[in-house]
Amino acid sequence: MPFYLKESDYLPQVAELESILIVPCRFCPAASLAVRENKPYIEPFRRLLRTESYETFIETLRRRLEDGGIRTAVFDSKLLHQFVACMWTANRRSELANRAAEFDGVLVLGCEAMVQAVGESIAATDCQVIRGMEIEGLMNVLPRVSLPLTLSLELQGIAPVTAAKKPPA
């Protein structure tokens, strides 16, 4: 089940930065936006493995930041095995570290596991990690397939998520 994510209030953190690398996961955030906007999740004949509502969200985010004078780029890939960011390979994480070194901040569009993975991947850089999304819960979805091979997700409910607490030392 994918996480149901919403945009966080990251603007105060990016206000002083000159450049931001946007690092999107293509799974939970895309599913969240497709469900929220009641749009298809995957339309392989139109967009391959891209979700229209998520791509629009990323492009709008870029324009908003660039209108504020911040240089942006998107850390992107068309490869299927790099689709779910919290499961990236060591090579992909190394590529991220090299690319992030060119920016003041990295805006992570994904869950807490992705924020942690990105932070660990770029620890050797001076780049600031910024959480771009927050978890609202786990989505219970019902997949719907329609012609021509379009996958939509019907939201059945959102289960709350509680963070695991470490026992006091």
Side-chain angles (χ1 to χ4, degrees), residues 135-167:
I135 297 172
E136 290 189 339
L138 281 168
M139 284 191 285
N140 179 1
V141 296
L142 187 60
R144 299 273 188 213
V145 178
S146 59
L147 294 176
L149 195 60
T150 297
L151 175 64
S152 297
L153 304 173
E154 183 181 316
L155 185 63
Q156 300 296 298
I158 300 171
V161 177
T162 56
K165 303 287 184 201
K166 293 182 181 178

Side-chain angles (χ1 to χ4, degrees), residues 95-116:
E95 290 172 17
L96 173 60
N98 291 336
R99 188 77 191 278
E102 304 169 15
F103 294 85
D104 299 326
V106 170
L107 183 61
V108 179
L109 301 179
C111 68
E112 298 301 314
M114 183 182 170
V115 171
Q116 182 178 353

Side-chain angles (χ1 to χ4, degrees), residues 88-99:
W88 280 345
T89 62
N91 279 348
R92 185 69 175 155
R93 292 170 194 231
S94 179
E95 290 172 17
L96 173 60
N98 291 336
R99 188 77 191 278

Side-chain angles (χ1 to χ4, degrees), residues 2-167:
F3 285 115
Y4 191 66
L5 301 169
K6 67 175 182 176
E7 190 173 9
S8 67
D9 183 21
Y10 54 81
L11 291 177
Q13 291 178 276
V14 303
E16 302 297 319
L17 303 179
E18 294 180 12
S19 60
I20 291 178
L21 179 63
I22 300 168
V23 182
C25 177
R26 300 279 173 202
F27 185 57
C28 293
S32 297
L33 280 160
V35 164
R36 186 174 286 120
E37 296 180 10
N38 198 26
K39 300 247 173 114
Y41 175 52
I42 296 177
E43 300 172 282
F45 296 118
R46 291 186 67 207
R47 290 179 181 62
L48 195 55
L49 293 175
R50 301 299 171 126
T51 304
E52 180 183 17
S53 54
Y54 190 42
E55 298 306 313
T56 301
F57 172 82
I58 292 170
E59 194 52 41
T60 301
L61 171 61
R62 281 191 78 183
R63 271 188 262 120
R64 189 174 23 186
L65 292 170
E66 289 174 354
D67 288 348
I70 299 172
R71 178 177 60 90
T72 68
V74 177
F75 186 68
D76 205 2
S77 174
K78 306 284 190 244
L79 302 176
L80 182 59
H81 73 284
Q82 296 172 356
F83 195 69
V84 182
C86 61
M87 298 188 326
W88 280 345
T89 62
N91 279 348
R92 185 69 175 155
R93 292 170 194 231
S94 179
E95 290 172 17
L96 173 60
N98 291 336
R99 188 77 191 278
E102 304 169 15
F103 294 85
D104 299 326
V106 170
L107 183 61
V108 179
L109 301 179
C111 68
E112 298 301 314
M114 183 182 170
V115 171
Q116 182 178 353
V118 167
E120 291 168 357
S121 299
I122 68 168
T125 70
D126 291 332
C127 197
Q128 177 182 351
V129 177
I130 302 156
R131 180 177 288 113
M133 301 190 107
E134 297 174 2
I135 297 172
E136 290 189 339
L138 281 168
M139 284 191 285
N140 179 1
V141 296
L142 187 60
R144 299 273 188 213
V145 178
S146 59
L147 294 176
L149 195 60
T150 297
L151 175 64
S152 297
L153 304 173
E154 183 181 316
L155 185 63
Q156 300 296 298
I158 300 171
V161 177
T162 56
K165 303 287 184 201
K166 293 182 181 178

